[in-house]
Amino acid sequence: MGVLNVTPDSFTDGGNNHDPRDAVETALRLFAEGAALVDIGGESTRPGARPVSLDEELRRVMPVLEELPGMALSVDTSKAEVARRALELGVALVNDVSALRLDPDMAGVIADSGAYVCLLHMQGDPRTMQLEPRYGDVVADVAAFLEERLAAAVAAGISEDRVCIDPGIGFGKTVPQNLALLNGLDRFCAIGPPVLVGVSRKSTLARVLGDPGGRVGSDAASIGAAVAAFDRGATLFRVHDVAAHVEALAIAAAVEHGAEC
Ligand code: HH2
């Protein structure tokens, strides 16, 4: 899953794709590099980010979706109206970082469309989530949350085989908690749905490498984390540098499953 933020303030690519023509070009490049999906978001969820209005989010996202008919797209939104309009244009997956909790209409919109959904764990909300995240046992707590949200999605009429789950790296977690979640991914895989991991360029990577104030991780560090996640059962990876991840994960998969050469 290639990341395409059509926002002025996202933590790595903020501003780069604010013009819809640039965003469409970036999406086509991500597909050419091997992305199976491109995830288009009009609201930053970085720590401290402020929410945007429905009109502003639609204004950012819709012109890009309209220029990419028939492409395999996901929409990164917690607003049912944005999801509904995106699904009308054929978007395949709703990536809702609130896991259907923010907008009471979201589950119904997804259920009615038959689309895929990603349910992500977040403690608090983007404005406050990094202030003082607290868990008993972070892996057990996140697993219990994802099990509960999966049950809620199914109860709302979303087919279980349309769901993927995400431990939400950086969404209300300290560096040691993020590392524990990556190391404990097999616990999330045991829940059933495919596990998606978004660790690409996140600040945890910079901090592990010795930069305590680091805000953006390198692509090499991102790939290391993605391969570690693959080894523990993750099958979906939300990444910025698609070409490098496709190569690295192809090798990791060949080591795991073999390859015909
Ligand atoms: N991370 C971000 C946004 N959406 N969705 C999923 N499923 N998993 C993630 O880990 C995830 C996500 C945050 O990263 P980014 O989009 O690069 O930045 P911003 O939120 O500032 O736009």
Side-chain angles (χ1 to χ4, degrees), residues 123 128-135 172-174 177:
Q123 186 175 96
T128 58
M129 64 191 180
Q130 288 307 113
L131 294 182
E132 214 180 325
R134 276 174 199 269
Y135 298 88
K173 285 105 183 173
T174 62
Q177 288 162 353

Side-chain angles (χ1 to χ4, degrees), residues 17-38:
N17 295 295
H18 207 40
D19 182 323
R21 282 165 304 188
D22 295 335
V24 168
E25 210 172 287
T26 302
L28 296 176
R29 178 177 53 77
L30 295 173
F31 283 121
E33 289 178 6
L37 270 177
V38 170

Side-chain angles (χ1 to χ4, degrees), residues 54-153:
L54 171 63
D55 282 351
E56 178 61 17
E57 196 174 332
L58 287 170
R59 202 185 57 72
R60 292 177 182 180
V61 165
M62 294 308 288
V64 184
L65 297 180
E66 281 160 7
E67 290 301 317
L68 295 166
M71 309 301 262
L73 301 175
S74 68
V75 63
D76 191 342
T77 188
S78 296
K79 295 187 181 75
E81 184 59 13
V82 176
R84 191 183 64 73
R85 297 220 204 161
L87 293 168
E88 276 174 8
L89 291 177
V91 163
L93 181 145
V94 178
N95 180 22
D96 178 5
V97 298
S98 87
L100 312 176
R101 293 176 299 158
L102 199 70
D103 189 327
D105 296 331
M106 184 62 112
V109 164
I110 297 169
D112 289 347
S113 71
Y116 290 89
V117 63
C118 180
L119 304 173
L120 174 139
H121 175 274
M122 167 165 48
Q123 186 175 96
D125 64 52
R127 256 177 307 174
T128 58
M129 64 191 180
Q130 288 307 113
L131 294 182
E132 214 180 325
R134 276 174 199 269
Y135 298 88
D137 171 331
V138 68
V139 173
D141 292 0
V142 170
F145 172 91
L146 293 173
E147 281 166 354
E148 187 273 319
R149 295 319 298 158
L150 172 61

Side-chain angles (χ1 to χ4, degrees), residues 1 3-7 9-14 39 41-47 49 76-77 93-97 118-121 126 129 164-171 196-202 237-240:
M1 176 190 273
V3 178
L4 177 49
N5 290 309
V6 285
T7 56
D9 56 343
S10 289
F11 78 101
T12 60
D13 57 349
D39 187 42
E43 177 172 46
S44 174
T45 49
R46 75 180 198 290
D76 191 342
T77 188
L93 181 145
V94 178
N95 180 22
D96 178 5
V97 298
C118 180
L119 304 173
L120 174 139
H121 175 274
M129 64 191 180
C164 63
I165 54 177
D166 183 335
I169 302 300
F171 284 83
L196 189 153
V197 169
V199 64
S200 175
R201 295 186 183 167
K202 288 194 175 165
F237 305 87
R238 184 178 182 279
V239 306
H240 299 84

Side-chain angles (χ1 to χ4, degrees), residues 204-240:
T204 282
L205 302 169
R207 294 182 191 186
V208 170
L209 292 179
D211 178 0
R215 292 167 61 92
V216 180
S218 68
D219 286 323
S222 306
I223 290 166
V227 170
F230 171 86
D231 281 342
R232 289 162 179 77
T235 50
L236 296 157
F237 305 87
R238 184 178 182 279
V239 306
H240 299 84

